[in-house]
Each structure stands twice: as structure tokens, then as C-alpha cells.
């Protein structure tokens, strides 16, 4: 369910700027490869598809990104609204050079 909320939020609630920030947050680059997501590369040059990994909310309050692997760790939020607020905060703070623990 949380993964569905994630994609609904990206599709319906984020504007182009927030989508670019999300991409930057997860992959380390704000641009989609010319050939699309299917050829997204990790730091080692190998193809690493965009991935969402569920994590326990007791351990993480905010989403965490692993840019080497193009992966976002997404806590199991109890509502779409909570997911939206925490994701937006994480993306915004990361874009100005801070990290959330």
C-alpha cells in the first residue's frame, strides 16, 4: 500500500520540480537518461533500476536514499498524508545539503 501511495504522490501531488528533486535524492542526478529508467546506472556504471525498499517506521522516520543503488528506503507509513509530508521534507532538506537521521 505504501508503494502505491508513493507513486500516487509522485504522479498527482508533485510538480516537475519536486519530481526532479526526488530523482536527485534517490539517484544523485536530476535527469532521466535519454533511453529512460530502464538504463539508469549506479555509481559502478552497471544498470541499477530505481527501487523502493520498505523499512520499519520504528527505525526510520524519514525516507533514506542510497544513490549508489538508485534505491529509496521508505518507512511503512500509516497514511498517504504522512508519506507525502515526510517525503517532501526529506527531499527538500537533502536538496540544500543537509541529511536527516
Amino acid at each position: 500500500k505504501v508503494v502505491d501511495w508513493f507513486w500516487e504522490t509522485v504522479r498527482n501531488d508533485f510538480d516537475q520540480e519536486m519530481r526532479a528533486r526526488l530523482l536527485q535524492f534517490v539517484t544523485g542526478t536530476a535527469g532521466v537518461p535519454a533511453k529512460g529508467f530502464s538504463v539508469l546506472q549506479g555509481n559502478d556504471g552497471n544498470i541499477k533500476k530505481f527501487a523502493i525498499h520498505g523499512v520499519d517506521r520504528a527505525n526510520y522516520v524519514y525516507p533514506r536514499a542510497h544513490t549508489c543503488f538508485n534505491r529509496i528506503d521508505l518507512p511503512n507509513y500509516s497514511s498517504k498524508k504522512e508519506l507525502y509530508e515526510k517525503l517532501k521534507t526529506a527531499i527538500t532538506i537533502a536538496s540544500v545539503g543537509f541529511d536527516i537521521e
Side-chain angles (χ1 to χ4, degrees):
K1 189 163 202 150
V2 174
V3 173
D4 291 335
W5 290 339
F6 173 84
W7 289 116
E8 286 173 19
T9 298
V10 172
R11 222 178 355 256
N12 303 325
D13 301 326
F14 280 5
D15 60 16
Q16 282 301 106
E17 180 185 347
M18 285 303 292
R19 289 180 190 142
R21 285 184 180 193
L22 172 64
L23 193 59
Q24 178 78 43
F25 178 70
V26 179
T27 69
T29 181
V32 177
K35 294 184 180 181
F37 268 81
S38 64
V39 295
L40 201 58
Q41 294 180 336
N43 285 354
D44 60 3
N46 292 319
I47 292 177
K48 301 272 192 229
K49 296 193 178 188
F50 187 96
I52 300 171
H53 182 249
V55 294
D56 189 348
R57 207 168 46 159
N59 296 328
Y60 301 103
V61 175
Y62 292 94
R64 295 173 55 111
H66 301 277
T67 57
C68 294
F69 306 107
N70 297 329
R71 187 180 93 197
I72 185 170
D73 290 346
L74 200 59
N76 296 314
Y77 295 116
S78 58
S79 71
K80 183 180 171 187
K81 181 180 181 201
E82 182 182 18
L83 177 142
Y84 171 80
E85 290 170 355
K86 301 294 188 194
L87 183 59
K88 186 175 178 183
T89 299
I91 293 168
T92 303
I93 288 176
S95 74
V96 294
F98 292 96
D99 191 19
I100 300 173
E101 283 296 324

